[in-house]
Amino acid sequence: MNPDASERSKPSEASNRLILVWDLPTRLFHWLLVMLVIASFATGKIGGLWMQYHMWSGYAIFGLLLFRVAWGFVGGRHARFSNFVYGPGAVLRYARTMLNREASRHLGHNPLGGWSVLAMLIALLVQAVTGLFANDDIFIEGPLYPWVSKATSDWLTHIHKLNQEVILLLVAVHVVAVFFYLILKHENLIRPMFTGRKHWGAEDQSSTNLLGMAALIASLLALGVFLLVR
């Protein structure tokens, strides 16, 4: 599932042309997820009465993740899984050349970046789903706690706690990778996630307006999550 060869170029081929890469729904998802993950970690560590906010942020994260999964199939060109999920061979070839100045640039996610996105989505989905069944043996229980036995809930709570470390590791890798590209490869990955646009040396057909579809999907999923956890 590799993107077209036209999406790659050598750094020397880049021009001042700004190409739309990340559609607005993808950018909103990204920054809302960042804020909610921070809120979830903070409220979870504080505990006490803040656990109610922890649960609410978890519900919001769950809805966002469901949206991103759907958007990975019907969203903008570079947001689709088919555009950035590469096979093992392509990932290994990219890993071997990523330190070279002549390494290919990618308009969307590069082969390693694509798999890091999948890893983050999976880890956060595990966190959100296990949280729905979790309990703290005091006064907080997930909305789906009655659906399982106490032993199963305790096991899922254990996974919920362990998975925090996995998420922290993935976040650390993500931050290091962003600064690696910024400092060593002189490629700013942060600005395009705000503006949606990236300097590129060729035309790209990725500017389709999909806001209506995004709003419909988000609304339906928000309603579904609300009905699930109420």
Side-chain angles (χ1 to χ4, degrees), residues 2 37 42 58 67 88 94 144 158-159 173 177 186-187 189 214:
N2 297 347
V37 167
F67 170 81
Y94 180 79
L144 303 187
H158 181 63
I159 298 299
V173 170
H186 307 292
E187 184 175 353
L189 301 179

Side-chain angles (χ1 to χ4, degrees), residues 6 12 138 145 158 161 168 171-172 203-204 230:
S6 61
S12 60
I138 304 175
Y145 173 80
H158 181 63
K161 293 177 179 178
L168 286 174
V171 169
E203 292 289 351
D204 181 73
R230 66 191 294 255

Side-chain angles (χ1 to χ4, degrees), residues 139 149 155:
F139 61 89
S149 67
W155 178 73

Side-chain angles (χ1 to χ4, degrees), residues 38-48 50-51 53-55 57 164:
I38 293 173
S40 288
F41 269 98
T43 52
K45 293 301 181 183
I46 295 172
W50 286 89
M51 287 302 295
Y53 297 102
H54 179 76
M55 294 176 68
S57 65
Q164 293 180 30

Side-chain angles (χ1 to χ4, degrees), residues 26-178:
T26 300
R27 284 177 278 149
L28 288 175
F29 161 81
H30 181 274
W31 294 116
L32 285 173
L33 185 66
V34 169
M35 291 186 288
L36 286 168
V37 167
I38 293 173
S40 288
F41 269 98
T43 52
K45 293 301 181 183
I46 295 172
L49 297 177
W50 286 89
M51 287 302 295
Q52 186 61 59
Y53 297 102
H54 179 76
M55 294 176 68
W56 288 342
S57 65
Y59 302 157
I61 289 173
F62 185 45
L64 277 176
L65 292 172
L66 292 179
F67 170 81
R68 186 62 184 90
V69 172
W71 204 240
F73 294 99
V74 301
R77 178 181 182 185
H78 300 289
R80 296 188 182 190
F81 298 127
S82 60
N83 184 265
F84 63 80
V85 178
Y86 293 73
V91 174
L92 289 175
R93 285 192 298 274
Y94 180 79
R96 285 196 296 264
T97 62
M98 64 181 294
L99 295 178
N100 300 338
R101 290 183 178 273
E102 296 78 17
S104 297
R105 297 174 70 237
H106 291 75
L107 187 54
H109 293 300
N110 63 56
L112 285 175
W115 279 100
S116 72
V117 169
L118 284 184
M120 184 71 74
L121 291 177
I122 291 171
L124 289 172
L125 275 171
V126 168
Q127 195 71 359
V129 171
T130 54
L132 295 174
F133 298 90
N135 75 93
D136 67 353
D137 284 322
I138 304 175
F139 61 89
I140 292 294
E141 297 172 351
L144 303 187
Y145 173 80
W147 291 20
V148 297
S149 67
K150 178 63 165 62
T152 300
S153 175
D154 288 343
W155 178 73
L156 292 172
T157 302
H158 181 63
I159 298 299
H160 190 74
K161 293 177 179 178
L162 287 179
N163 195 52
Q164 293 180 30
E165 307 303 320
V166 176
I167 293 173
L168 286 174
L169 176 61
L170 291 173
V171 169
V173 170
H174 180 74
V175 172
V176 169
V178 167

